[in-house]
Amino acid sequence: MSIAVAQELIKRTENLSIEETLAFLANEFPEKVVFSTSFGQEDQVITALIATNELPIKIFTLDTGRLFQETYDVFHKTLKKYKVNIQTLYPETSQVEQLLNTKGPNSFYESVENRKECCFIRKVVPLKKGLAGNKVWITGLRAEQSENRNDLALFEYDAHFDIIKFNPLLKWTLAEVQKYIADNNVPQNSLHKKGFISIGCAPCTRAIVEGEDIRAGRWSWESSHKECGLHQK
């Protein structure tokens, strides 16, 4: 896969709807298109599009071991409603054990380096397993989520994972996402109605208040770019 492939896909799908583009990708790369969901609002929209159109796209999620119970609740509701198979990937037990035995359970609060180490073990390593052998990775990224996502393209080549990344909701606003969920009765995390917009691991996520940036609730004690390593530039 390459940058040229991503640019070609942009041209070939420029007049297609999201549903048509997803179907095109599933046909163009059979058994090689995968969607990673964290059960956030954007991901729930994409899951609904895949499921209701019965598209042969693989879906997986990362269970970091530190998720909210509300995330498991919406996971369960999603399985019940859409009858889809969602593969669950976990961190390597030995890596988690070593981290906790050497640095304790809350080392991520102590430095950005420690936090990124925890994210790498709990998220990036399992993600590599989920993406291995695939050609296209569907994500729920939106441009307005953070400054460093403003310049994303609909299709991009992710050199870090050697895969084409498709961002179908790139230009959607949060209001559009929420409207789709409401109009189509899509299951969503109950924390969204309590001020949690971007939801990750429980220790690293808080509700935001009016006027705060969408990503302000993630790793709120630090002033980094608020990324965990899954989506690198």
Side-chain angles (χ1 to χ4, degrees):
M1 306 307 284
S2 66
I3 295 175
V5 173
Q7 293 174 337
E8 179 66 19
L9 287 173
I10 291 175
K11 294 178 182 178
R12 295 182 67 185
T13 62
E14 60 182 348
N15 295 317
L16 301 182
S17 66
I18 292 178
E19 294 93 329
E20 291 170 337
T21 301
L22 290 170
F24 165 80
L25 293 172
N27 182 69
E28 189 77 4
F29 305 98
E31 304 295 323
K32 299 296 183 181
V33 182
V34 65
F35 168 51
S36 58
T37 178
S38 62
F39 303 102
Q41 291 170 306
E42 294 84 3
D43 291 345
Q44 288 299 95
V45 169
I46 296 172
T47 296
L49 291 170
I50 292 172
T52 56
N53 290 282
E54 300 181 343
L55 299 173
I57 293 173
K58 295 175 288 186
I59 305 175
F60 73 86
T61 190
L62 309 178
D63 189 337
T64 65
R66 302 296 295 261
L67 302 179
F68 288 97
Q69 177 58 43
E70 290 86 347
T71 299
Y72 294 111
D73 292 342
V74 74
F75 184 173
H76 190 71
K77 291 177 181 178
T78 301
L79 293 175
K80 291 292 185 180
K81 180 177 178 66
Y82 296 114
K83 312 300 182 187
V84 290
N85 177 53
I86 300 178
Q87 181 186 18
T88 304
L89 301 177
Y90 297 91
E92 294 290 338
T93 301
S94 60
Q95 292 184 330
V96 176
E97 287 179 346
Q98 182 178 8
L99 176 64
L100 268 66
N101 288 334
T102 57
K103 295 187 177 182
N106 293 327
S107 61
F108 45 82
Y109 289 129
E110 297 172 354
S111 68
V112 173
E113 290 72 26
N114 279 357
R115 195 270 294 167
K116 289 185 176 181
E117 177 185 26
C118 186
C119 287
F120 181 81
I121 291 171
R122 295 181 184 274
K123 294 184 176 183
V124 179
V125 173
L127 177 67
K128 288 181 179 179
K129 292 181 183 178
L131 298 181
N134 290 291
K135 299 295 185 182
V136 178
W137 171 22
I138 301 168
T139 86
L141 297 179
R142 292 186 300 106
E144 73 170 13
Q145 287 172 328
S146 64
E147 288 184 8
N148 50 317
R149 295 180 181 181
N150 282 333
D151 59 347
L152 293 177
L154 195 63
F155 285 94
E156 296 190 311
Y157 172 62
D158 189 316
H160 184 67
F161 296 109
D162 187 27
I163 197 168
I164 297 299
K165 186 184 292 185
F166 174 44
N167 309 308
L169 304 185
L170 183 64
K171 300 302 182 182
W172 282 40
T173 64
L174 179 58
E176 288 174 319
V177 170
Q178 293 172 334
K179 184 178 187 302
Y180 183 93
I181 288 173
D183 290 348
N184 295 277
N185 195 30
V186 178
Q188 68 170 317
N189 195 316
S190 61
L191 291 174
H192 289 308
K193 295 183 178 180
K194 299 178 181 179
F196 290 78
I197 304 301
S198 177
I199 301 173
C201 293
C204 301
T205 307
R206 68 163 174 81
I208 64 173
V209 298
E210 185 175 354
E212 279 192 303
D213 182 81
I214 290 175
R215 299 281 287 181
R218 302 294 292 278
W219 310 294
S220 57
W221 61 90
E222 64 180 55
S223 57
S224 69
H225 288 299
K226 302 298 181 77
E227 296 288 355
C228 60
L230 299 186
H231 303 289
Q232 299 189 23
K233 291 299 291 178

